[in-house]
Each structure stands twice: as structure tokens, then as C-alpha cells.
Amino acid sequence: TPGIYRCVVCELDLFASDDKYDSGTGWPSFTTEIAEGRVSLHSDRKFLIKRNEVRCASCDAHLGHVFGDSPSDAGGQRYSMNSAALILAEHDSDQESTQ
């Protein structure tokens, strides 16, 4: 579905549906954020594993984690997001985001 994935807390535009792909993990996965500075990364060392937590840059809500294992043609990054942290604002494929 064409649209923009927004933070469920503050509704900041975070990811475009064009950048979503099926990573085979069961988690919504994106290759990049919709614009630089929409998310912030934080070191997460829970469960004895070093990961990079992804948070909304506006409200600091936890969104998921980023990993460096996406296909190389997708930029190498996999933003693995919690579906409960995102809402989809559907639009026509030629409509631009205004936020």
C-alpha cells in the first residue's frame, strides 16, 4: 500500500512505503528513513548482544533496531521496526509527504 509510515506517538513521518521490503524476518523492514534526522540511533546492549536501537527523533519513542544485513542493492541497512510503533498514512503513489 503506498503511503508514509509515521510514529504512532507523535505522527512524525519516518519511512516511505517505497523503501519497505520483505526481509523474511516477519518484522516490517526499511532500507532508509524518509529524510535524514527522522530517527536517532542508540546503543542497546540488552541480552549480551550489541544492537543499534532506533527511536523517533521527535518524541524518543522506541521503534525497533537497525542491522547491517539488508541486500547490498538496498544500501546494506535494515531498519527492522516494531509494527505497533508505526501507523500507515495511505496516499496515492504520486502524492508527496507534507510533514
Side-chain angles (χ1 to χ4, degrees):
T1 303
I4 302 298
Y5 287 86
R6 295 180 173 158
C7 174
V8 72
V9 177
C10 71
E11 297 188 9
L12 179 69
D13 292 354
L14 299 173
F15 300 99
S17 59
D18 291 343
D19 297 317
K20 186 177 182 203
Y21 73 101
D22 183 1
S23 66
T25 64
W27 297 92
S29 297
F30 301 87
T31 57
T32 189
E33 58 192 298
I34 196 166
E36 189 174 334
R38 295 301 173 107
V39 300
S40 60
L41 302 181
H42 304 269
S43 180
D44 178 358
R45 294 184 180 267
K46 295 176 186 167
F47 308 114
L48 303 174
I49 301 169
K50 184 181 180 211
R51 301 182 298 178
N52 289 312
E53 177 187 13
V54 179
R55 296 182 194 166
C56 175
S58 176
C59 71
D60 208 35
H62 171 80
L63 302 171
H65 292 86
V66 65
F67 302 96
D69 62 359
S70 78
S72 59
D73 64 338
Q77 296 295 315
R78 173 172 54 95
Y79 289 82
S80 182
M81 302 295 96
N82 183 330
S83 60
L86 303 174
I87 52 174
L88 175 61
E90 295 182 31
H91 64 69
D92 294 330
S93 60
D94 62 323
Q95 185 179 1
E96 293 287 325
S97 169
T98 59
Q99 209 173 19

